[in-house]
Amino acid sequence: KAEIRDLEKSALQAQMNPHFIFNCLNSIQGFIMNNEKTEAMEYLAKFAQLIRSNLNSSVFDKITLQQEMTMLDNYLALERLRFKNKFDYSITTDSKLDSQLTQLPPMLIQPFVENAVLHGMQDLDRPGFIKVYFDKLGDNKISVKISDNGHGENAKIDELKSYSLGMSITQKRLAHINGISEKAYKVEPIYTNEGTSVKI
């Protein structure tokens, strides 16, 4: 049973990359169609860096926190460019966390960050901001908080209407990880008028 769950988890993890690649290619296509050649080349260069790191990490069950942060930084830089710099972002950690020694499953955080971009920053009438913060909880636990100053309660409705493939896959991955590992993963979304936050 453990082997079957492990294989299923690997299959779900492999689905993340095609989903993400598809979204990025759509953005590049948009730049080309709008004849924004400089933006298209810049986006393509960042996209190539991200794909290389994603492919490298996809073969591993765990990656370092530093690798995850680098991938998230590349992803958010791409989305910020696509959104014409309408939002800023920060990715920070608790000083007690060793980013080189701390490990976590790859591509687990990205779908939640993607939701913050798509549901929080879309049609925002003020400067947007997305925060990703990794916190140390005891000896063997960390929490990740993804927050934005977007639409909040309205984002909840949009999210429920168009539940993304990435989020669906991630929920299944978490269920499988919880079935295999003694370490449980829990997701807590909070929607307010000031924005949305998700704690893992």
Side-chain angles (χ1 to χ4, degrees):
K1 284 182 180 179
E3 283 184 27
I4 290 170
R5 283 176 179 163
D6 202 30
L7 287 170
E8 288 174 338
K9 180 175 67 69
S10 298
L12 289 169
Q13 185 171 316
Q15 289 181 53
M16 295 299 300
N17 292 325
H19 167 67
F20 177 67
I21 290 168
F22 177 78
N23 284 349
C24 283
L25 289 176
N26 272 348
S27 299
I28 294 169
Q29 185 181 37
F31 282 126
I32 294 170
M33 288 178 67
N34 293 328
N35 203 31
E36 298 172 296
K37 294 179 182 178
T38 303
E39 289 85 351
M41 292 302 294
E42 184 180 348
Y43 200 105
L44 201 54
K46 290 181 182 296
F47 177 61
Q49 291 177 345
L50 188 58
I51 289 300
R52 188 181 298 114
S53 59
N54 280 359
L55 290 175
N56 288 339
S57 67
S58 66
V59 298
F60 297 106
D61 187 47
K62 298 274 184 71
I63 60 171
T64 67
L65 175 56
Q66 183 59 57
Q67 289 172 307
E68 181 73 14
M69 289 172 65
T70 299
M71 285 194 292
L72 290 174
D73 184 52
N74 284 340
Y75 167 74
L76 282 167
L78 287 171
E79 290 289 45
R80 185 172 182 269
L81 183 61
R82 182 166 73 91
F83 274 73
K84 309 290 186 185
N85 299 324
K86 288 183 179 177
F87 72 88
D88 265 313
Y89 67 90
S90 68
I91 304 171
T92 54
T93 67
D94 183 341
S95 60
K96 297 189 289 292
L97 269 178
D98 189 324
S99 61
Q100 297 292 346
L101 294 179
T102 304
Q103 294 188 324
L104 67 166
M107 292 295 286
L108 193 65
I109 313 301
Q110 188 270 336
F112 296 98
V113 176
E114 180 180 336
N115 261 27
V117 173
L118 298 183
H119 296 290
M121 302 297 103
Q122 194 75 40
D123 301 321
L124 196 64
D125 56 1
R126 59 183 182 275
F129 200 86
I130 294 173
K131 296 179 183 177
V132 182
Y133 179 65
F134 294 86
D135 195 13
K136 185 176 176 64
L137 301 177
D139 292 332
N140 297 311
K141 288 184 180 180
I142 63 170
S143 74
V144 188
K145 186 176 182 181
I146 303 107
S147 56
D148 66 72
N149 68 336
H151 298 291
E153 289 292 346
N154 291 334
K156 181 179 183 180
I157 297 169
D158 292 340
E159 187 177 323
L160 292 172
K161 284 181 179 177
S162 58
Y163 195 68
S164 74
L165 177 61
M167 289 294 290
S168 174
I169 292 170
T170 300
Q171 294 288 1
K172 291 176 184 176
R173 282 184 66 198
L174 285 168
H176 284 292
I177 290 170
N178 284 343
I180 295 167
S181 173
E182 293 179 0
K183 298 176 182 177
Y185 294 82
K186 188 167 73 169
V187 180
E188 299 174 350
I190 301 169
Y191 302 92
T192 70
N193 291 328
E194 285 75 40
T196 304
S197 65
V198 178
K199 191 173 182 180
I200 307 169

